[in-house]
Amino acid sequence: MTDLVLFGSGGFAREVLQIALDQNDVAPTWRIRGFLDDNLDLKGTQIHNYPILGGGEWLPENPEVRVAIAIGSPAAKRRVAERIDALPGTSYATLVHPRAWVGRRVSIGEGSIVCAGSLITTDIRIGRHVVLNLDCTVGHDAVLHDFVTAAPSVNISGDVEVGEGVDLGTGAVVIQGKSIGPWSIVGAGSVVVKDLPANVTAVGAPSKPIKER
């Protein structure tokens, strides 16, 4: 078994904990040490009987542990990952729920998290620290770059490219062959029928940019 710590202590961190526990039910994989949070007032408290061990300062003293960044915000994930990447010897856990379906010829980068009910078909590249929340679908030949977050029930069609740090809201749909530029936000329930540029917030069906970020 491999030591695992979850960076984050919110609702999504509890969901990621459940993924690790469900993986252990199938095959003992993770020795869960607890959670990390930079709010040091939380140190010593517990989440579902697992301790909050401290903040990022805990990691250099425990280089053998794998880290799962259990944070939904793409920007916050990147900030935490940059700090961890600077530490010697620390590595990430890639967590895929046993009830997710992942086809052949799918590449999933380190630190990524795939929740229950998600379906990933074939010839797909998923970068580092990507989150596919509950019941997401990803079609053939799609590319999801680092730090993408897809909220529950996002549908990404075939031959789609989702740029680094894109945040896809609950129930968003991206039709086949479209691209979304880095660090854009697509609102809940939006339908992307045309390419979106970088650093915009887009909403609606069909989705339209409403502001630059």
Side-chain angles (χ1 to χ4, degrees):
M1 298 180 73
T2 303
D3 285 356
L4 173 68
V5 67
L6 309 179
F7 204 114
S9 62
F12 184 58
R14 285 181 273 126
E15 293 180 336
V16 175
L17 170 64
Q18 188 65 50
I19 295 173
L21 292 172
D22 289 350
Q23 286 183 322
N24 282 348
D25 286 344
V26 174
T29 304
W30 304 111
R31 185 182 301 106
I32 301 166
R33 299 285 298 275
F35 297 82
L36 300 179
D37 195 295
D38 285 329
N39 181 357
L40 296 183
D41 290 339
L42 298 176
K43 184 176 181 179
T45 61
Q46 292 190 336
I47 298 174
H48 296 335
N49 298 319
Y50 291 94
I52 296 181
L53 302 163
E57 80 289 342
W58 183 88
L59 286 170
E61 300 173 1
N62 298 273
E64 77 289 349
V65 74
R66 296 281 184 93
V67 183
I69 303 177
I71 298 170
S73 163
K77 278 189 296 185
R78 184 174 69 170
R79 288 193 296 269
V80 171
E82 287 173 345
R83 291 165 53 197
I84 295 173
D85 289 346
L87 301 174
T90 304
S91 57
Y92 297 99
T94 301
L95 301 176
V96 178
H97 195 280
R99 289 191 292 278
W101 182 76
V102 180
R104 297 171 184 173
R105 300 180 181 88
V106 173
S107 170
I108 300 178
E110 66 173 358
S112 289
I113 297 167
V114 180
C115 296
S118 286
L119 308 175
I120 307 170
T121 63
T122 189
D123 299 299
I124 291 165
R125 180 163 58 87
I126 295 173
R128 301 171 70 236
H129 305 294
V130 170
V131 170
L132 293 175
N133 214 307
L134 299 165
D135 297 322
C136 291
T137 65
V138 184
H140 65 86
D141 300 295
V143 178
L144 279 62
H145 290 273
D146 299 348
F147 303 108
V148 167
T149 288
S153 300
V154 166
N155 298 132
I156 298 170
S157 300
D159 199 28
V160 163
E161 182 170 5
V162 183
E164 181 181 71
V166 167
D167 195 346
L168 298 165
T170 299
V173 174
V174 187
I175 71 166
Q176 182 155 335
K178 303 309 172 187
S179 65
I180 303 174
W183 300 100
S184 284
I185 296 173
V186 177
S190 297
V191 181
V192 178
V193 300
K194 295 182 179 179
D195 293 348
L196 292 176
N199 296 302
V200 299
T201 297
V203 299
S207 67
K208 296 180 181 179
I210 58 170
K211 65 178 180 179
E212 295 184 358
R213 302 176 53 247

